[in-house]
């Protein structure tokens, strides 16, 4: 079994001094547990501070990543961060296709495919986020939407099973993000089984599939009791280092 992943997406919070203080507090509160890894996705400006703090601790259960990348390695793309630049700042992973990138910034399915390829090209682990809008769920389209997003980002001839095994998928229903309304463990497991069967058909049975959307210290135990979940991707409840350390520690028996 691969270790569980507890991933913290800080979104647009915590600048470099705050990030350094956060890492110090987190490290003081959290001792490594063999069955789990903790991944941090700070804003790009804080990436080097986080990666440096984690590297200084010399712990390979802790990973720094970037929240978004451009598909080109360099060039005239004002405001964007590329996979090689994030790698230079210490990233080992990259979120791709987060729902806020898709629905606030208009990222297309096609762009997610190019970003997955860019991440892999720079030896970053892509964490592909998929998930349906509330209207899509209510119209019974959840599995079709997730399939379309998987196909666009990971399908076709693009990735063979060895590469797919190292990708991470995060199922984040859009209606559950930042709303306090999480999917039930059963809701999540149903979609996870669908994602898993898509991966298994491509020979990638061991790809980790995370759940995200209003995960908290209160509901994480119930969610991870579902064996289909290989970890969680957490926004709001990851912003306080002591609370996050507690969530990671108690998140699964
Ligand atoms: P919340 O945990 O704040 O709902 O955010 C989830 C998320 O989008 C993580 O990527």
């Amino acid at each position: 079994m691969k270790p569980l992943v507890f991933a913290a997406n800080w979104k647009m919070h915590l600048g470099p001094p705050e990030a350094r203080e956060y890492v110090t507090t987190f490290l003081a509160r959290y001792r490594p547990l063999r069955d789990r890894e903790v991944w941090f996705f700070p804003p790009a400006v804080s990436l080097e501070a986080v990666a440096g703090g984690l590297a200084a601790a010399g712990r390979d259960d802790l990973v720094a990543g970037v929240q978004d990348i451009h598909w080109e390695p360099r060039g005239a793309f004002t405001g964007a961060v590329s996979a090689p630049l994030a790698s230079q700042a210490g990233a080992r992973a990259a979120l791709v296709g987060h729902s806020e990138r898709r629905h606030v910034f208009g990222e297309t399915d096609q762009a997610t495919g190019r970003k997955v390829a860019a991440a892999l090209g720079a030896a970053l682990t892509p964490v592909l986020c998929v998930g349906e809008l509330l209207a899509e769920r209510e119209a019974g389209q959840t599995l079709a939407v997730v399939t379309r997003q998987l196909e666009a980002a990971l399908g076709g001839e693009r990735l063979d099973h060895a590469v797919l095994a190292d990708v991470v998928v995060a199922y984040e229903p859009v209606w559950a993000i930042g709303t306090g309304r999480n999917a039930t463990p059963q809701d999540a497991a149903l979609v996870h089984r669908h994602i898993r069967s898509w991966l298994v058909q491509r020979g990638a049975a061991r790809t980790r599939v995370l759940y995200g959307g209003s995960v908290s210290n209160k509901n994480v135990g119930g969610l991870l009791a579902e064996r289909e979940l290989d970890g969680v991707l957490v926004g709001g409840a990851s912003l306080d280092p002591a609370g996050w350390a507690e969530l990671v520690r108690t998140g699964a028996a």
Side-chain angles (χ1 to χ4, degrees):
M1 272 272 287
K2 289 185 181 177
L4 295 169
V5 173
F6 289 77
N9 176 7
W10 293 357
K11 306 193 179 182
M12 202 166 68
H13 299 280
L14 303 175
E18 296 165 316
R20 273 188 280 276
E21 202 180 315
Y22 179 114
V23 170
T24 303
T25 307
F26 178 80
L27 290 172
R29 304 266 178 141
Y30 179 72
R31 298 277 160 257
L33 291 168
R34 206 177 285 169
D35 66 343
R36 63 199 70 188
E37 296 171 352
V38 193
W39 297 20
F40 296 89
F41 294 91
V45 289
S46 301
L47 182 53
E48 196 171 6
V50 171
L54 301 181
R59 295 200 8 201
D60 56 14
D61 62 319
L62 307 176
V63 172
V66 63
Q67 294 177 9
D68 181 43
I69 48 171
H70 195 275
W71 53 80
E72 293 293 343
R74 64 190 63 77
F77 300 101
T78 300
V81 173
S82 72
L85 296 187
S87 172
Q88 277 189 45
R92 288 166 49 200
L95 296 182
V96 174
H98 188 277
S99 77
E100 287 143 23
R101 299 304 316 174
R102 293 178 191 266
H103 300 297
V104 181
F105 297 98
E107 184 165 317
T108 61
D109 286 339
Q110 192 211 17
T112 63
R114 298 174 79 180
K115 290 182 179 193
V116 166
L120 291 167
L124 301 182
T125 300
V127 179
L128 174 71
C129 304
V130 297
E132 81 287 4
L133 296 161
L134 183 59
E136 292 167 333
R137 167 161 285 252
E138 287 174 344
Q141 293 168 350
T142 298
L143 300 184
V145 168
V146 167
T147 306
R148 190 198 75 222
Q149 293 170 335
L150 289 169
E151 289 285 348
L154 307 177
E157 297 305 304
R158 208 185 323 269
L159 302 178
D160 73 12
H161 63 94
V163 175
L164 268 184
D166 290 330
V167 168
V168 174
V169 177
Y171 169 55
E172 296 203 303
V174 181
W175 48 270
I177 295 178
T179 58
R181 182 178 164 198
N182 66 292
T184 65
Q186 295 74 26
D187 282 339
L190 189 128
V191 182
H192 276 238
R193 269 194 289 278
H194 178 75
I195 294 169
R196 178 90 51 211
S197 81
W198 189 93
L199 291 163
V200 166
Q201 280 168 30
R202 287 156 184 80
R206 295 179 66 236
T207 300
R208 287 178 287 193
V209 185
L210 318 182
Y211 170 78
S214 296
V215 175
S216 68
N217 293 50
K218 286 207 177 76
N219 61 27
V220 69
L223 285 161
L224 289 175
E226 254 316 329
R227 301 296 293 269
E228 290 292 336
L229 277 61
D230 301 314
V232 285
L233 177 54
V234 183
S238 72
L239 291 177
D240 167 58
W244 175 237
E246 173 82 13
L247 191 156
V248 176
R249 219 179 8 252
T250 58

